[in-house]
Amino acid sequence: MNIVRLPEGELAPPEADCITIERREDGKFMLNGTALMACGDTDEAESISMIGSQPYDSYDDAEAAGLAWAAEHCAGEVQVSSIA
């Protein structure tokens, strides 16, 4: 999986497999993601989203969870956005 970390505040284009990490006022981090799931030898793809994850104590924990989620859904390239 190729990971592209975007500059802070820059969002991934709508058609990209991506995760977005947002810092909450209490210092914790929330995770959202979208991926076009096409695993295995199938020609069919399904769009899947994750909205409003559990809060994470650190940015790194949120990013690791988001990348694991993207890998489970066979993302080839994931763009990582962060919002302060």
Side-chain angles (χ1 to χ4, degrees):
M1 180 170 58
N2 185 37
I3 301 166
V4 178
R5 290 181 178 86
L6 302 173
E8 186 174 332
E10 183 177 325
L11 297 177
E15 68 277 1
D17 290 345
C18 65
I19 59 171
T20 302
I21 303 165
E22 183 174 356
R23 184 182 185 105
R24 299 185 339 176
E25 289 182 13
D26 66 1
K28 295 196 182 264
F29 297 85
M30 297 298 291
L31 176 63
N32 295 307
T34 60
L36 189 60
M37 186 172 70
C39 298
D41 294 333
T42 182
D43 289 335
E44 294 183 32
E46 176 184 350
S47 180
I48 189 162
S49 297
M50 172 183 36
I51 301 171
S53 71
Q54 67 179 22
Y56 292 93
D57 291 329
S58 73
Y59 179 94
D60 290 340
D61 289 346
E63 182 181 80
L67 293 174
W69 175 85
E72 288 174 14
H73 295 94
C74 306
E77 178 176 284
V78 178
Q79 296 191 25
V80 180
S81 301
S82 62
I83 302 171

